[in-house]
Amino acid sequence: QVQLAESGGGSVQAGGSLTLSCVASGYTYRRHCMGWFRQIPGKEREGVAVIDSTDRTRYANSVKGRFTISQDNAKTTLTLQLNSLELEDTAMYYCAADTNDCYSGSWALRVEDFAYWGQGTQVTVSS
């Protein structure tokens, strides 16, 4: 069974940086699609960034140039580097994975195209 565990959230002032990590276990698939999403209470979960098995990436417009998604060579640890944080980045951040290659839906950061989810890690940005 695929399990995802996020860490690295916390509180930071606007303009600061954080690094989120997600450790994946329970699968040995050669191909996958992994991503980061975020959610504010009362709002829908939104996609932040996605990466495939060949390290191709795609980002939401709101985080382009500020956030970087990456994975280790073993493809079991996903990282999201958050720089130049803004108040609007405050949210619960979730790691997501699917054991299929990224395709049009997952490249579009659609929640329904990811089968596995972590419990989330909170990021709070203050002024």
Side-chain angles (χ1 to χ4, degrees), residues 27-33 52-54 74-75 99-101:
Y27 78 91
T28 56
Y29 299 99
R30 294 175 59 190
R31 297 177 178 178
H32 64 247
C33 187
D52 73 359
S53 301
T54 65
K75 314 297 185 191
T99 52
N100 297 305
D101 273 334

Side-chain angles (χ1 to χ4, degrees), residues 64-75:
K64 277 182 184 177
R66 300 189 299 119
F67 291 7
T68 302
I69 189 171
S70 61
Q71 59 192 343
D72 66 347
N73 289 335
K75 314 297 185 191

